[in-house]
Amino acid sequence: MSKDIEHLKDIQLLVNTFYGRVQQDDLIGPLFNERLAGKWEYHLEKMYAFWQTVLLEEHTYSGRPFPPHAKLPVNQEHFDRWKQIFNRTVDELFEGKIAEEAKWRADRMAAMFLSKIEYFNGEK
């Protein structure tokens, strides 16, 4: 039986496993690898802080998460793949209230980011 997301080390396991899978994905991997070449460590640290703040209410993240994504050449298919990998990673590693919240928050964030990207690109 898996345990819930409770500590920073859990967040790090989730983030590292998820982004390891993202880097290998044929659809979204090239986007991430191109933009984060030489900056993966910085990105992972930022993601630890983001999810630690969101899920554990330990306020270590500061910044605005959307602007770096505003001009990405992505659509619904990319976000669907991102959510698929994220949800599978959470489900394989954890179970519980916070794990479910992680998936819910990722879904809401993906919907908001896609909506804003489409708006900025004049698609909506």
Side-chain angles (χ1 to χ4, degrees):
M1 179 170 172
S2 298
K3 69 178 202 74
D4 207 351
I5 299 168
E6 299 172 345
H7 306 285
L8 176 58
K9 66 180 171 84
D10 299 328
I11 297 287
Q12 291 168 331
L13 175 62
L14 171 61
V15 167
N16 291 341
T17 305
F18 170 68
Y19 281 107
R21 291 174 176 176
V22 163
Q23 289 178 59
Q24 301 301 314
D25 186 75
D26 61 339
L27 178 64
I28 63 175
L31 289 167
F32 278 87
N33 290 323
E34 177 185 320
R35 280 161 182 79
L36 294 174
K39 299 181 265 184
W40 271 106
E41 187 174 333
Y42 172 77
H43 181 70
L44 294 174
E45 291 289 335
K46 188 174 268 201
M47 292 301 93
Y48 303 153
F50 176 81
W51 287 107
Q52 183 180 19
T53 298
V54 169
L55 296 176
L56 303 180
E57 298 181 11
E58 297 171 3
H59 301 282
T60 56
Y61 176 82
S62 62
R64 297 171 36 219
F66 178 71
H69 302 84
K71 301 213 184 281
L72 291 177
V74 294
N75 58 35
Q76 184 70 54
E77 182 182 14
H78 296 93
F79 280 98
D80 287 347
R81 180 72 57 88
W82 184 91
K83 290 187 304 184
Q84 177 187 42
I85 296 168
F86 187 85
N87 289 342
R88 186 181 80 225
T89 303
V90 171
D91 287 343
E92 288 176 7
L93 297 174
F94 303 102
E95 67 179 44
K97 182 180 173 199
I98 297 173
E100 292 304 311
E101 182 179 347
K103 293 186 295 183
W104 180 82
R105 287 184 179 262
D107 182 69
R108 302 291 10 112
M109 196 173 12
M112 179 188 64
F113 278 24
L114 178 60
S115 176
K116 285 184 169 189
I117 288 168
E118 288 175 342
Y119 175 79
F120 285 122
N121 289 334
E123 297 172 27
K124 297 259 177 178

